[in-house]
Each structure stands twice: as structure tokens, then as C-alpha cells.
């Protein structure tokens, strides 16, 4: 089986039949200059910079026969699936250039053009940060015999880390592709990655696009 060289001299085995690539929140509201993140005053250039790596990894995973899943954070138009704490922050639902921010069905909620899911690939719509929160993701993965996850996407400190921790608590072996994830600042990204492999790789494995592609193309 192909193995990926990782941090601290470790290796992560990719078993195509039991490994899924999880592309997290590659949405216009997070990555488009007219999206939610940019409207909040954050620079999206660091996140846009990892899109080519995400594109390459998604293509290689398809070719290698991995299961592909794509997540989207978003809420019902009436915000009925948003808990009161998040509603109090008043983030989702505001009007923007791409429609109401983070509302399902609005242009900003959709995936960026470079990372559109292919026909037949699963899209997980999640009303929160973690991909397992109020979704059927765990049952879907168990039903397909998935034991290992390769994670990429945005943002490293929020939805990627939340999903990673949820997955590890459920017993999935997880590899985060460091340079296919990004945060709004390099400092947040660096701290989030270091937290993954701290304490003897507490939250799994970390590698980079070049090494993952080399393993997938064997």
C-alpha cells in the first residue's frame, strides 16, 4: 500500500478502499474576494494560495480510487438550524455581494469553480464548524468502510481542526495536508498545525502536498 512520509519521521498508509479525502469548506464565502471572510475585513490571499494544491490532491485522489467528500458550512434561510449562541453573533444571513452570507442556496454557499464536486461525489452540508456536527457523516463513512481520512481545506484553526478532532474521537486515522489548508493569518495556521502533531501526534499525522501526491500516484 502507498505510504506518505509525515512529520517526526512517521508514515501514513493510504489504503484506497478504506481511505477518504475530505475537502473542507472550499466555498466562495470563504475564498472569494466578494465572500463572507473578505467582507469581514480578512485577507483571503493566504487561503487562495492553497487552492492549486487542493485541486491537485482532489484530482489525484479521484484517479487513485479514494472516496471523495466535500463539506459546506451553511444554514437554512430562516436560521432554524443555527443555535442561539451563533445567532447572537449575527454572522450568517447578512446580505453580501454573493447573497446572504453562509445561507444554503445562495451563490456564496457554493464551492469555488476550481473545486467543484464531481457527479456522484458526496456533499456534506453542515450547520456548524465540525463536519460531524448534526450531519450523517459518521454513518456514511462507516457504511463505506472508511477508516482513514485525508483532510484539506479552510480554515485550519476552525473547520479543519474541528473536523479533525471530531474524527479522532470517533477512531478515524487522520492525515492533514499542511500546505493544502490555510487560515486567515499564517500565525493561526502554524499554531493549528503544531497542535496536531504536539504531544506525540495527539491528533494524527501531518504531511504536505508533494509527499501525498507521490503516494497517490504510485
Amino acid at each position: 500500500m502507498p505510504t506518505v512520509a509525515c512529520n517526526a519521521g512517521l508514515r501514513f498508509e493510504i489504503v484506497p478502499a478504506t481511505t477518504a479525502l475530505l475537502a473542507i469548506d472550499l466555498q466562495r464565502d470563504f475564498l472569494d474576494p466578494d465572500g463572507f471572510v473578505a467582507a469581514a475585513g480578512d485577507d483571503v490571499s493566504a487561503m487562495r494560495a492553497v487552492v492549486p494544491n487542493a485541486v491537485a490532491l482532489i484530482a489525484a485522489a479521484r484517479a487513485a480510487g479514494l472516496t471523495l467528500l466535500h463539506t459546506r458550512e451553511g444554514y437554512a434561510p430562516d436560521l432554524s438550524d443555527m443555535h442561539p449562541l451563533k445567532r447572537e453573533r449575527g454572522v450568517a444571513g447578512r446580505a453580501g455581494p454573493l447573497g446572504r452570507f453562509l445561507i444554503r442556496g445562495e451563490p456564496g454557499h457554493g464551492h469555488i469553480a476550481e473545486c467543484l464536486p464531481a457527479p456522484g461525489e458526496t456533499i456534506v452540508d453542515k450547520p456548524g464548524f465540525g463536519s460531524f456536527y448534526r450531519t450523517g457523516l459518521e454513518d456514511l463513512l462507516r457504511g463505506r468502510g472508511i477508516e482513514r481520512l485525508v483532510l484539506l481545506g479552510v480554515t485550519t484553526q476552525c473547520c479543519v481542526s474541528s473536523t479533525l478532532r471530531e474524527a479522532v474521537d470517533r477512531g478515524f486515522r487522520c492525515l492533514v495536508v499542511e500546505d493544502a489548508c490555510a487560515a486567515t493569518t499564517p500565525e493561526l495556521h502554524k499554531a493549528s498545525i503544531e497542535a496536531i502533531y504536539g504531544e506525540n501526534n495527539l491528533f494524527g499525522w501531518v504531511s504536505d502536498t508533494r509527499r501525498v501526491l507521490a503516494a497517490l500516484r504510485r
Side-chain angles (χ1 to χ4, degrees), residues 57-93:
L57 288 162
I58 289 169
R62 286 175 179 146
L66 273 64
T67 294
L68 264 79
L69 303 106
H70 308 260
T71 75
R72 296 184 299 200
E73 182 184 347
Y75 305 88
D78 63 358
L79 306 184
S80 57
D81 54 358
M82 179 183 289
H83 57 68
L85 175 60
K86 189 169 285 187
R87 202 175 301 153
E88 288 169 12
R89 297 181 63 198
V91 173

Side-chain angles (χ1 to χ4, degrees), residues 48-217:
R48 291 290 314 175
V50 305
V51 169
N53 287 344
V55 170
L57 288 162
I58 289 169
R62 286 175 179 146
L66 273 64
T67 294
L68 264 79
L69 303 106
H70 308 260
T71 75
R72 296 184 299 200
E73 182 184 347
Y75 305 88
D78 63 358
L79 306 184
S80 57
D81 54 358
M82 179 183 289
H83 57 68
L85 175 60
K86 189 169 285 187
R87 202 175 301 153
E88 288 169 12
R89 297 181 63 198
V91 173
R94 293 179 186 169
L98 299 177
R100 295 173 67 203
F101 293 136
L102 297 176
I103 297 298
R104 291 195 297 275
E106 299 283 356
H109 180 251
H111 287 94
I112 59 172
E114 301 94 321
C115 297
L116 292 174
E121 292 175 351
T122 299
I123 298 174
V124 178
D125 281 315
K126 57 190 182 71
F129 302 139
S131 299
F132 292 83
Y133 173 66
R134 294 181 63 182
T135 71
L137 179 57
E138 182 173 6
D139 289 341
L140 187 153
L141 294 173
R142 304 287 186 206
R144 296 186 184 184
I146 300 300
E147 301 171 351
R148 297 165 179 267
L149 299 175
V150 177
L151 282 68
L152 60 85
V154 296
T155 58
T156 319
Q157 83 282 6
C158 186
C159 294
V160 175
S161 290
S162 295
T163 297
L164 172 67
R165 291 171 185 238
E166 289 178 330
V168 169
D169 273 344
R170 288 163 172 79
F172 293 99
R173 297 176 184 269
C174 296
L175 168 66
V176 174
V177 188
E178 179 175 4
D179 59 353
C181 297
T184 51
T185 69
E187 294 78 13
L188 281 172
H189 175 74
K190 182 175 184 291
S192 301
I193 292 296
E194 289 177 349
I196 296 169
Y197 58 75
E199 297 184 67
N200 296 314
N201 296 82
L202 185 62
F203 295 109
W205 291 257
V206 174
S207 192
D208 59 32
T209 298
R210 178 185 61 81
R211 291 184 287 185
V212 176
L213 288 177
L216 290 172
R217 290 168 177 168

